[in-house]
Amino acid sequence: MGNHRAGRRDAARIDSAVSPAATSPAGPAQPGKRKAVKATRRPRVERSAAPAPRRAAARRAAPRKNLFPALPSAPILVGAAALAVAAGGAVTVSQGPVSANAPGGVARLSAQASVLNGVSQVQSSQGQAEEQSRERAVSRDWQRQALADAAEQELQQAAEAQAQERNAALAKLAASAEKHADEIAANAWHLPIAAGVYHLTAGFGESSGLWAHTHTGLDFAAPTGTPILAVASGTVTSTEYAGAYGNRTIVTLADGTELWYCHQTSFGVSPGDTVTPGQVIGTVGSTGNVTGPHLHLEVRPGAGDPVDPFTALSVHGIQP
């Protein structure tokens, strides 16, 4: 632009230096009158050409033109914007409550609302996370408690089942023991004369002129009429007078053993009757070959030869 101005100034000087006579074909102008001069084309003034090295240096040294002369450059704008943002934040923090009517108040309020909204969202997220954590902890505790309750209930049910089984087993055992006790009682042997009423006068295998052979039984001397008791359970198979044995009652046991009760005064049972240990079957007397009232007791296994009654009673827990 400087070169263009210089060219115009040079052209003006050239125009003023040109004579009117030279420019007009009619000759000199008359005094007092201005002759119209036809505009002529200004001569082109050539720029002084500088050497190529000087022109390159001038281009490098000349500042770059700005497309918008009224605006500052981009780095300046960026720096100014950063300073403005920092200053606005500082003012917002330091001033406290901001009114919407104040200059820039709406923007500051929007910024504060955005900040508060973000903080509230963060707090809400933290609260939700804590609530979910508490819910998970409660759920785990509830599950553990439910499992513990279920295990305790299973143990209780198992204990109750075991108790029922034990009670059933005990009841079964008690019934079996009672039955066995009944069997024992039914098969138990008993003294033929109540204790303290009798005394033994003759044993098995003794020899005397009173007997044709050796003694085959055990004699219980007692007053006439003393009750005679069944030694064991069995069935009455005979009640009769038997010569030297006098009045005799025979009771057959379940295994076939025969028990003979001799020298009775009277009979208390009849053939076919079932007797139990301790049951009265007759009374003591002196019928048959005797020297005084007594009970002659014989034990004959399988209805065969007699064995020692003392030993038989002792085997069954009876001590004569």
Side-chain angles (χ1 to χ4, degrees), residues 127-137:
Q128 291 178 357
E130 293 176 355
E131 183 65 23
Q132 292 177 357
S133 177
R134 285 193 295 269
E135 291 178 356
R136 286 194 295 268

Side-chain angles (χ1 to χ4, degrees), residues 188-198 200 218 220 227-232 259 261 276-281 295 297 309-310 313-314 316-320:
W189 284 28
H190 197 280
L191 283 171
I193 305 294
V197 177
Y198 71 90
L200 299 179
L218 184 62
F220 294 81
I228 299 174
L229 309 177
V231 174
L259 299 179
Y261 304 88
T276 58
Q279 180 179 343
V280 177
I281 61 173
L295 169 65
L297 177 66
F310 190 96
L313 289 171
S314 298
H316 288 84
I318 302 301
Q319 189 66 33

Side-chain angles (χ1 to χ4, degrees), residues 101-184:
N101 296 326
V106 175
R108 286 196 292 264
L109 288 175
S110 300
Q112 291 179 358
S114 299
V115 172
L116 292 175
N117 188 21
V119 172
S120 64
Q121 289 179 356
V122 171
Q123 293 177 350
S124 177
S125 300
Q126 293 177 352
Q128 291 178 357
E130 293 176 355
E131 183 65 23
Q132 292 177 357
S133 177
R134 285 193 295 269
E135 291 178 356
R136 286 194 295 268
V138 170
S139 178
R140 288 194 297 270
D141 294 340
W142 181 84
Q143 290 178 356
R144 285 194 292 268
Q145 185 64 34
L147 291 175
D149 293 341
E152 183 178 359
Q153 186 176 4
E154 290 180 358
L155 290 175
Q156 185 176 1
Q157 292 177 354
E160 291 177 355
Q162 290 180 356
Q164 291 178 355
E165 292 178 358
R166 184 176 64 254
N167 293 335
L170 290 175
K172 185 177 180 181
L173 181 61
S176 177
E178 185 177 359
K179 181 180 179 181
H180 187 59
D182 294 339
E183 292 177 356
I184 292 174

